[in-house]
Amino acid sequence: MSGEMVLTSVDLAIGHGKVRLAEGLAVQLRAGSLTALLGPNGVGKSTLLNTLAGLQAPLDGQAFVTGSNIHAMPAKERARKIALVSTHRPSVALLTVEALVGLGRHPWTGPWGRFSAADAEAVERAMEQAGVLHLRTRNMEHCSDGERQKVHIARALAQETPLMLLDEPTAFLDLPNRAAIVRLLRENALKAGRAVLFSTHDLQLALDLCDRLLLLRGKDGVWQGTPQEALRSGELQRTFAGAGVQFDAEGTHRFLH
């Protein structure tokens, strides 16, 4: 992608306590790009996302968003630069869709949390982009899994940050909803000029719909490139070596007996 660099990391090490899951990570995300984060179970994908979001301190190295050190900036400033859609969420069953999307504007409201006209417009725009305008008055408990996921993404869109991180946004959804979510993320990255990174186990959607892949391989660090480069170079095959998956040059994969 030709957009400006939104996120970079230098010699980043991630993990928990004394346990290092991966180190020497040099991650680069450009504006207007959709990147899928891939890797075997337990390799540290969620830990990497939480570290890049500033929720978890790195064990070593640094990460920067639009030139600022993620782990050195105040929480409110960080929330104006990074939106996170996590798998761990507080209960929001009684909130309406519009109220939940409105939470994305909190980094931009004043000390009393009052919405300006610009905040209301941002919420409206995010609901329209995510395709949930018709659900605005519905309580979250009455939304389907696919609808809930779109609402949480709308909340992140309303935050209007240059970087968006999502942990397994297509998990537990059927194929049409998985594809709709990834297409939504791709369209928004391009139109809004955001850098979007999401973790997934859906290899085919990543290969078919993403601009770039970020392959996390534990102590072997990361590899970044286009889906075509990942296939032609054999990097995707090496990342999933031993997982019983085989890829061909066209992007199709099959499971070995």
Side-chain angles (χ1 to χ4, degrees), residues 71-86:
H71 299 90
M73 65 178 68
K76 187 168 186 177
E77 181 184 351
R78 190 164 59 239
R80 290 181 173 185
K81 291 179 179 289
I82 306 170
L84 174 68
V85 178
S86 174

Side-chain angles (χ1 to χ4, degrees), residues 50 55 84-89 149 152 155 165-167:
N50 286 333
L55 299 182
L84 174 68
V85 178
S86 174
T87 55
H88 303 291
R89 302 167 184 157
Q149 194 63 283
H152 282 287
R155 189 268 308 158
L165 306 172
L166 306 98
D167 195 2

Side-chain angles (χ1 to χ4, degrees), residues 1 17 20 39-42 50 67 81-82 101-102 117 127-129 142 183 195 200 229 234 238-239 253:
M1 301 299 293
R20 292 194 170 212
N41 281 333
N50 286 333
K81 291 179 179 289
I82 306 170
V101 177
M127 288 192 296
E128 182 177 8
Q129 290 170 346
H142 297 136
R183 289 193 183 101
T200 183
E229 290 168 343
R238 282 189 281 275
T239 297
H253 62 280

